[in-house]
Amino acid sequence: VQLEEDNFILSIAKQFPIKSTASLYGIGDDCAVIPYNDNESYVITTDALVEGIHFLKEQIPPFALGYKAIAVNVSDVAAMGGRPLYAFLSIAIPAQIDTAWLQIVMDGITQTCKQWNIELLGGDTVGSKRDIFINITLIGKALQSGLRFRHTAKKDDFICVTGNLGDSHGGLQILQNALPSCSEQDALIKAHFQPNPHLEEGLCLSKQAGVHAMMDISDGLDCDLRRMLSASGCGAIIETTQLPISENLLKICKMQQWDPVHMALEGGEEYCLLLSVAENDMEEVQKAYERACKKKLHIIGKITDTSALQYQTNKKNVSISLQKFRHF
Amino acid sequence: VQLEEDNFILSIAKQFPIKSTASLYGIGDDCAVIPYNDNESYVITTDALVEGIHFLKEQIPPFALGYKAIAVNVSDVAAMGGRPLYAFLSIAIPAQIDTAWLQIVMDGITQTCKQWNIELLGGDTVGSKRDIFINITLIGKALQSGLRFRHTAKKDDFICVTGNLGDSHGGLQILQNALPSCSEQDALIKAHFQPNPHLEEGLCLSKQAGVHAMMDISDGLDCDLRRMLSASGCGAIIETTQLPISENLLKICKMQQWDPVHMALEGGEEYCLLLSVAENDMEEVQKAYERACKKKLHIIGKITDTSALQYQTNKKNVSISLQKFRHF
């Protein structure tokens, strides 16, 4: 599915070849960039949530649905080194919708906008025959010096992530398998329904010249890292023992005999940031990040000049056969 | 349906009270306005087309569907006095879609973008369980002195429209009733499938200080004029004999015993512009418009200081009972 989507987007992008400049950038990254002034640019992203594909109406709490519609876009703005400002909502609603349920979805959208000082400036409210469709276009602003792309990773860069991997995917698996409730499981379900976009992390990292490339992880580390490598014309080695995996996920994996490494690599809807950092600047970036964000960057591998993504466990090559992430 | 939508939007707008300034304007008009530089602003609109609501897959030619997705947004930018620049496409596609059909929709989108020098800068391609959703967010630019809103009509203004009314609605009725083909009918069907946004008209009119208020007609003259009046705190008198109705529509109306005035007032998806012009500037605006656009502005009524919309035929009050426009 992801590969098909990438090819589809590529075929569109070919028809709109845009020279990458400091002030205008088109298809192919978390956000597009359009001019604002000499120092700053607008960054713009759009993300759709479709009933039956991205959420099940009977499963997701309506407030969480509204929250998520905004949060996934905030994550894209964060990945560019920007701060969100203005949102536009298109929502298609079947006639037989429960209006009380819909009101809570709208509360989720408006309160989440307020949480990040986003102004909802417009939209389109239309009917739908059967399924709910929610599209958010989010406009943010970034310093041009702070803009980060996915095509700028360089050989020998360290590969880092800003948070645990697999929690959201674990939460989804718990819901899908209707596992009984316990505190670990509730934490993972929360990670799935209320992902936390790494906005302050992105802003902090965008100030560091040593951060070469950055993107958010929305379709799983394996899938998104391959996108970064392909855009940058590089390969990578990832050390599986360094993947940050939460205690909660490890416990559930043990109970359910799930492979935590597979969960960490396959899991979509994670919304932490994936970045590459110049070898010589790693220490400085790590220090600045710890100071600002009160936590560590997780170093999980290195960029290579091959075109392959190689997984290693304790520095020995391993072959991992993954399933592509599907929402449902 | 329109009233419900307006109330829904109003309830959202209340939560995001934005002071109208030259450089920032929120919910309630054809576009939102965000800052660009001292003289210009970005204008932004978003419009969704939903299968089964705005189009029937079996009925609309796929190229026309792509065209229309862009054109309806260009019309919103035109209504603000702007010129379109950047588009963002979200499209939700069922797995069983005919890829050849989809490719023609995409060709319609990309070629229509090129026709108006719009760059497609990004988007989101997702799955859908059953129906197709196409959402376009369009960003344009306007001189701040050229921005026109719908809440600024003034007592004694002339009310004008830039094109014939009811053709698109006539085309839809022909399709819905499966009337046999003839040249008049084909012209109306074309008006329905390939509406012509009045971009150059909007740019010309936005340069005239005498143009007080402007918006596009997407849900029928009656419905959209009521929106302008409500936003401006005014009323209006409309002279039905002055409504511009095409020869093609008049012929079909005669054949089918449809009331052409009803068609003109109810018909949605028209995409010509509705504007109010200061009484003393009407002659100058008319001259400038004729010079630039090689056609006449149609004067159809006057703004009053009542809060009512009164229809007259040959200056005598008439009561017209209209049906609200529905796509299907």
Side-chain angles (χ1 to χ4, degrees):
Chain A
V1 176
Q2 253 73 45
L3 193 66
E4 280 167 33
E5 185 190 330
D6 287 357
N7 284 338
F8 185 74
I9 292 167
L10 206 63
S11 77
I12 301 170
K14 270 191 195 149
Q15 301 193 52
F16 292 87
I18 294 200
K19 285 153 208 95
S20 159
T21 69
S23 63
L24 186 67
Y25 191 82
I27 296 169
D29 219 300
D30 292 292
C31 291
V33 181
I34 69 170
Y36 174 56
N37 63 25
D38 288 347
N39 305 315
E40 294 170 290
S41 294
Y42 283 121
V43 292
I44 303 160
T45 181
T46 191
D47 262 310
L49 297 182
V50 183
E51 181 179 355
I53 303 288
H54 302 93
F55 66 91
L56 302 179
K57 189 170 176 298
E58 308 68 39
Q59 193 179 72
I60 193 166
F63 193 93
L65 176 57
Y67 170 88
K68 204 163 179 172
I70 299 295
V72 299
N73 284 284
V74 170
S75 179
D76 285 323
V77 167
M80 299 297 289
R83 190 181 282 288
L85 288 174
Y86 311 119
F88 296 82
L89 162 72
S90 284
I91 183 165
I93 310 163
Q96 68 281 11
I97 195 105
D98 175 348
T99 53
W101 185 90
L102 178 63
Q103 189 54 57
I104 304 175
V105 175
M106 288 308 306
D107 288 348
I109 289 174
T110 54
Q111 288 186 38
T112 307
C113 281
K114 287 177 185 173
Q115 175 185 336
W116 281 301
N117 293 314
I118 297 166
E119 294 187 275
L120 190 62
L121 286 191
D124 195 18
T125 311
V126 296
S128 170
K129 257 178 91 175
R130 297 172 291 202
D131 298 320
I132 301 163
F133 173 85
I134 302 177
N135 189 81
I136 297 284
T137 301
L138 186 63
I139 301 182
K141 211 186 266 178
L143 284 169
Q144 278 163 24
S145 62
L147 282 173
R148 288 298 181 277
F149 300 92
R150 61 178 64 176
H151 66 267
T152 41
K154 302 262 179 303
K155 178 176 179 284
D156 296 329
D157 281 359
F158 283 104
I159 300 168
C160 306
V161 292
T162 58
N164 288 327
L165 300 171
D167 277 4
S168 169
H169 193 45
L172 178 59
Q173 294 303 315
I174 290 162
L175 291 165
Q176 294 301 87
N177 294 290
L179 301 185
S181 178
C182 69
S183 68
E184 289 88 2
Q185 302 193 354
D186 293 349
L188 300 181
I189 289 170
K190 195 178 168 207
H192 179 66
F193 282 146
Q194 297 172 50
N196 183 27
H198 284 187
L199 183 58
E200 295 309 323
E201 290 87 336
L203 284 166
C204 162
L205 291 165
S206 75
K207 289 180 194 139
Q208 298 298 319
V211 175
H212 281 168
M214 190 156 70
M215 66 187 292
D216 77 338
I217 302 179
S218 51
D219 292 316
L221 175 66
D222 180 81
C223 178
D224 285 319
L225 178 56
R226 285 180 197 277
R227 287 174 173 153
M228 180 181 277
L229 298 176
S230 162
S232 301
C234 301
I237 294 171
I238 295 293
E239 172 60 48
T240 61
T241 57
Q242 297 306 307
L243 296 171
I245 300 175
S246 73
E247 289 297 319
N248 288 326
L249 183 60
L250 286 173
K251 274 188 199 164
I252 305 284
C253 281
K254 204 167 181 183
M255 279 163 54
Q256 299 295 326
Q257 300 186 294
W258 295 338
D259 183 329
V261 168
H262 279 234
M263 297 292 281
L265 297 180
E266 283 170 6
E269 307 191 58
E270 212 62 64
Y271 303 111
C272 65
L273 300 174
L274 168 68
L275 56 149
S276 90
V277 180
E279 206 173 15
N280 294 333
D281 296 319
M282 190 65 235
E283 207 182 316
E284 195 186 326
V285 170
Q286 183 69 271
K287 268 189 200 158
Y289 183 80
E290 277 182 47
R291 214 179 307 123
C293 300
K294 316 286 174 214
K295 57 182 182 179
K296 266 186 178 301
L297 265 177
H298 306 279
I299 302 174
I300 60 170
K302 291 211 79 174
I303 299 286
T304 65
D305 57 359
T306 69
S307 62
L309 170 55
Q310 179 63 58
Y311 289 106
Q312 294 191 338
T313 301
N314 295 316
K315 299 194 177 166
K316 284 196 182 121
N317 287 356
V318 290
S319 164
I320 301 179
S321 143
L322 295 172
Q323 302 210 312
K324 286 286 170 208
F325 172 71
R326 279 167 194 274
H327 303 275
F328 294 106
Chain B
V1 175
Q2 254 74 46
L3 193 69
E4 279 167 33
E5 186 191 329
D6 287 357
N7 284 338
F8 185 74
I9 292 167
L10 206 64
S11 78
I12 301 170
K14 270 191 194 149
Q15 300 191 53
F16 291 88
I18 294 202
K19 285 152 209 93
S20 159
T21 68
S23 63
L24 186 67
Y25 191 83
I27 297 169
D29 220 300
D30 292 292
C31 291
V33 180
I34 69 170
Y36 174 57
N37 64 24
D38 288 346
N39 305 316
E40 293 170 290
S41 294
Y42 284 121
V43 292
I44 303 160
T45 182
T46 190
D47 263 311
L49 296 182
V50 182
E51 182 181 354
I53 302 289
H54 303 92
F55 65 92
L56 302 179
K57 189 170 174 300
E58 308 70 39
Q59 191 179 75
I60 194 166
F63 192 92
L65 177 57
Y67 169 88
K68 204 162 177 172
I70 299 295
V72 300
N73 285 284
V74 170
S75 179
D76 284 323
V77 168
M80 299 296 289
R83 189 180 283 287
L85 288 174
Y86 312 119
F88 297 81
L89 162 71
S90 285
I91 183 165
I93 310 163
Q96 68 280 13
I97 194 106
D98 174 347
T99 53
W101 185 90
L102 179 63
Q103 189 53 58
I104 304 176
V105 176
M106 289 307 307
D107 288 347
I109 290 174
T110 55
Q111 288 186 37
T112 307
C113 281
K114 286 176 185 174
Q115 176 186 336
W116 281 302
N117 293 314
I118 297 165
E119 294 187 275
L120 190 63
L121 287 191
D124 196 16
T125 312
V126 297
S128 171
K129 259 177 92 174
R130 298 173 288 201
D131 298 319
I132 302 164
F133 297 88
I134 302 177
N135 190 80
I136 297 284
T137 301
L138 186 63
I139 301 182
K141 210 186 267 177
L143 285 170
Q144 278 163 25
S145 61
L147 282 172
R148 289 297 181 278
F149 301 92
R150 62 177 65 176
H151 65 267
T152 41
K154 302 264 179 302
K155 179 176 178 285
D156 296 329
D157 282 359
F158 283 104
I159 300 168
C160 307
V161 292
T162 58
N164 288 327
L165 300 171
D167 277 3
S168 169
H169 193 42
L172 178 58
Q173 294 305 315
I174 289 163
L175 291 165
Q176 294 300 87
N177 293 290
L179 301 186
S181 178
C182 68
S183 68
E184 289 88 4
Q185 301 193 356
D186 293 350
L188 300 181
I189 289 171
K190 195 178 167 206
H192 179 66
F193 281 146
Q194 296 173 52
N196 182 27
H198 284 187
L199 184 59
E200 295 310 322
E201 289 87 337
L203 285 166
C204 162
L205 291 165
S206 74
K207 289 179 192 141
Q208 298 298 320
V211 174
H212 281 168
M214 191 156 70
M215 67 187 291
D216 77 337
I217 303 180
S218 51
D219 292 317
L221 175 66
D222 181 80
C223 178
D224 285 319
L225 177 56
R226 284 179 196 278
R227 287 172 174 154
M228 180 181 277
L229 297 176
S230 163
S232 300
C234 301
I237 293 172
I238 295 292
E239 172 60 46
T240 61
T241 58
Q242 297 304 308
L243 296 171
I245 301 175
S246 73
E247 289 297 321
N248 288 325
L249 184 59
L250 286 174
K251 273 189 201 164
I252 305 285
C253 281
K254 205 167 179 184
M255 278 163 56
Q256 299 296 326
Q257 300 186 293
W258 295 338
D259 183 330
V261 168
H262 279 234
M263 297 293 281
L265 296 179
E266 282 170 6
E269 307 192 58
E270 212 63 62
Y271 303 112
C272 64
L273 300 174
L274 168 68
L275 57 148
S276 88
V277 181
E279 207 174 13
N280 295 332
D281 296 320
M282 191 64 236
E283 206 182 316
E284 194 187 328
V285 170
Q286 183 69 272
K287 268 189 198 159
Y289 183 80
E290 277 182 48
R291 213 179 307 123
C293 301
K294 316 286 173 214
K295 57 181 182 178
K296 266 185 178 301
L297 266 176
H298 305 279
I299 302 174
I300 60 170
K302 292 211 78 175
I303 299 285
T304 65
D305 58 359
T306 69
S307 62
L309 170 54
Q310 178 64 56
Y311 289 106
Q312 294 189 337
T313 300
N314 294 317
K315 299 195 176 166
K316 285 197 182 120
N317 287 355
V318 290
S319 166
I320 300 179
S321 144
L322 295 172
Q323 301 210 314
K324 285 287 172 206
F325 173 70
R326 277 166 196 276
H327 303 275
F328 295 106

